[in-house]
Amino acid sequence: MRRTAGYLAIGIFFGIVMYKSEAASWFRIYEMFRFESFHMYGIIGSALILGIIGIQIIKRKQLKSFFGDSIKIASKERGFKKYFFGGIIFGLGWALAGACPGPIYTLIGAGYISIIVVLLGALGGAFLYGLLRKNLPH
């Protein structure tokens, strides 16, 4: 229960940051896909840089988790096609819906009730993937 409360607190904090930075704004996402503003590219780019730095620190200092377990980051299989086509599908869904999976909950919490349709679509897509996973190339 204590762990769940921690995850909930982090999620609420993340949602507030997403909303206040306008990263969950449909208009900002629309602006990004039309190459009219640097705002979203700045947010994504800074997250990417911080992620790279964080992973390198974890690997080089061999940091442990909060529970004392060593953090193991599995190597990923190199490949271009699967990431390229997966990125295109993800980007198309993001552009059409105006929200990637993270901000969906933030937008619902902010009172944008129509985004529930997007949430249902995302859950339906995840369910469909679960059904078809065995038949898809990995």
Side-chain angles (χ1 to χ4, degrees):
M1 181 68 178
R2 191 174 192 197
R3 253 174 117 173
T4 304
Y7 293 139
L8 182 63
I10 291 170
I12 290 170
F13 176 73
F14 179 69
I16 291 169
V17 169
M18 291 286 288
Y19 188 76
K20 290 295 187 182
S21 69
E22 295 184 349
S25 165
W26 181 88
F27 178 73
R28 288 292 188 181
I29 295 167
Y30 179 72
E31 244 181 4
M32 177 186 71
F33 282 111
R34 292 182 50 105
F35 301 105
E36 294 175 350
S37 175
F38 181 75
H39 183 85
M40 289 296 289
Y41 293 111
I43 290 173
I44 294 168
S46 61
L48 180 67
I49 290 168
L50 286 172
I52 290 169
I53 292 169
I55 294 294
Q56 291 306 310
I57 290 171
I58 289 169
K59 284 182 175 180
R60 292 182 184 175
K61 298 205 180 254
Q62 298 177 347
L63 297 179
K64 298 195 181 298
S65 73
F66 293 115
F67 305 107
D69 302 328
S70 62
I71 299 173
K72 296 176 185 150
I73 300 170
S75 298
K76 289 196 174 191
E77 176 185 325
R78 295 210 180 252
F80 176 78
K81 265 178 27 178
K82 65 182 177 182
Y83 296 118
F84 180 76
F85 291 116
I88 288 174
I89 292 169
F90 181 83
L92 286 172
W94 192 12
L96 290 170
C100 72
I104 289 174
Y105 301 104
T106 302
L107 291 169
I108 291 171
Y112 296 98
I113 303 303
S114 59
I115 206 79
I116 291 174
V117 174
V118 176
L119 175 64
L120 293 174
L123 293 174
F127 180 74
L128 185 63
Y129 173 75
L131 291 176
L132 300 175
R133 187 169 194 268
K134 289 185 253 179
N135 302 325
L136 296 172
H138 285 93

